[in-house]
Amino acid sequence: MKTTNLTASLSLLFMTFLAGCGGGGGGGAVAPPPPPPPPPAVPMSAAGIWIGQAVTPDIPAIGTSFEFPDSDGFVIGAAPFTANFQGGETQTTGVTALYTNGLFSWHVDIAGGSIDFLTPGSTLSLFTRTVTAGDNATIQVLDENGVEISLTAVTNIFQQIVVNRDPATESLIGSVVITVGSGEIVIDQFVLGYPSTASTDDIACLLAPNNEFVCVVSDLTTGNFIGAANGTYQVNVNQVTGTGSLYAAPGETLIDGSLVAPLTISAGTVVEDTSLNLTVGNLGLSIAVTSAFDTT
């Protein structure tokens, strides 16, 4: 009898142990509770003084071979580097002799036409001819002040009009005027280029804890002050964005001839107290800023 009671007691104890471990009744093991979520990332601080360089690229040329239909004026390029075409009509006639590239060209009749450049250029190239022999037309190129640079009589054989201006000593190209006395002319393969803006300049920025910033830009070679910027910035983990304005130094102008222009900061990254790299958009250009934290 004692053996039987001991066996029953051991069996009851074993079943109780299994039930406590989830092994009784054929059920699966109970999964451990999930770990707590990681704490949210703390944004790095971008506050401090940063010293480095700003690399500005050249302005890309704008151009067109008019491979699209249009009869009410059109604009090519992206502000502030645009060409505004008025008058005439882009079309294809199937006559290959009226195109130097593609199947379309810009046709201008006696109503005339014009091309105005929001930012003056330093080089101009286009091909032109009259549609038939005996048509009478001229193409006049004006500088940014409206003064004539060149005047070309158009013939019935394609000719290339090329204008080059030295930005250091000459006024830039501001517009083109097409005058048609009789008949019609076509224009194809238009290209406008801009003075070189490629530069590497010194830059120093103060980013304040209240999310305001101010920067000064100086010539890498001469050390002369050439511009400044201010605005506000934000940091998300290690990503830096912001908006503000760029100002030309007294006696200087920005690349489009203006004295002040908006800027944006995008794709910026910061390593606290170490490095700050920014992509700054200004006047259609993407300026790369690399800088190091100034421990002093």
Side-chain angles (χ1 to χ4, degrees):
M1 178 63 88
K2 291 181 179 180
T3 301
T4 302
N5 289 341
L6 178 61
T7 301
S9 298
L10 290 174
S11 298
L12 180 61
L13 180 62
F14 182 69
M15 294 299 293
T16 303
F17 175 77
L18 288 179
C21 295
V30 176
V42 177
M44 289 191 178
S45 172
I49 296 176
W50 303 89
I51 307 296
Q53 294 182 332
V55 179
T56 302
D58 273 333
I59 306 168
I62 57 174
T64 180
S65 289
F66 308 100
E67 296 301 302
F68 52 88
D70 184 277
S71 59
D72 58 358
F74 54 94
V75 176
I76 65 167
F81 308 109
T82 59
N84 183 4
F85 291 74
Q86 293 296 321
E89 179 180 358
T90 59
Q91 59 176 284
T92 179
T93 63
V95 181
T96 58
L98 297 180
Y99 320 109
T100 59
N101 185 74
L103 298 176
F104 279 71
S105 57
W106 185 35
H107 293 241
V108 181
D109 60 19
I110 58 174
S114 63
I115 315 171
D116 295 300
F117 310 129
L118 183 59
T119 299
S122 58
T123 63
L124 172 70
S125 173
L126 59 88
F127 288 83
T128 186
R129 61 159 290 176
T130 61
V131 172
T132 59
D135 291 348
N136 178 21
T138 59
I139 292 184
Q140 183 185 34
V141 180
L142 305 177
D143 72 4
E144 55 196 313
N145 302 310
V147 177
E148 182 179 285
I149 297 174
S150 68
L151 181 66
T152 303
V154 184
T155 70
N156 67 324
I157 299 175
F158 262 120
Q159 57 188 309
Q160 184 180 15
I161 296 177
V162 176
V163 177
N164 293 297
R165 304 291 281 179
D166 183 352
T169 59
E170 298 176 301
S171 55
L172 298 180
I173 305 165
S175 63
V176 175
V177 177
I178 300 103
T179 303
V180 181
S182 61
E184 183 180 55
I185 71 168
V186 294
I187 294 175
D188 208 357
Q189 287 187 269
F190 165 90
V191 178
L192 179 72
Y194 296 94
S196 175
T197 53
S199 66
T200 299
D201 301 305
D202 286 328
I203 188 169
C205 296
L206 169 63
L207 274 66
N210 67 349
N211 296 106
E212 294 182 359
F213 73 85
V214 61
C215 301
V216 292
V217 183
S218 56
D219 187 276
L220 181 67
T221 303
T222 65
N224 293 337
F225 170 56
I226 57 177
N230 73 339
T232 59
Y233 72 93
Q234 301 79 41
V235 180
N236 181 9
V237 185
N238 70 333
Q239 303 295 303
V240 183
T241 57
T243 58
S245 298
L246 179 67
Y247 302 87
E252 302 283 346
T253 61
L254 302 179
I255 55 177
D256 68 340
S258 63
L259 299 178
V260 58
L263 64 81
T264 58
I265 299 173
S266 63
T269 58
V270 61
V271 178
E272 191 168 332
D273 297 344
T274 302
S275 65
L276 175 68
N277 299 322
L278 305 173
T279 299
V280 179
N282 175 252
L283 294 174
L285 297 179
S286 182
I287 303 167
V289 175
T290 57
S291 62
F293 186 76
D294 187 340
T295 58
T296 62

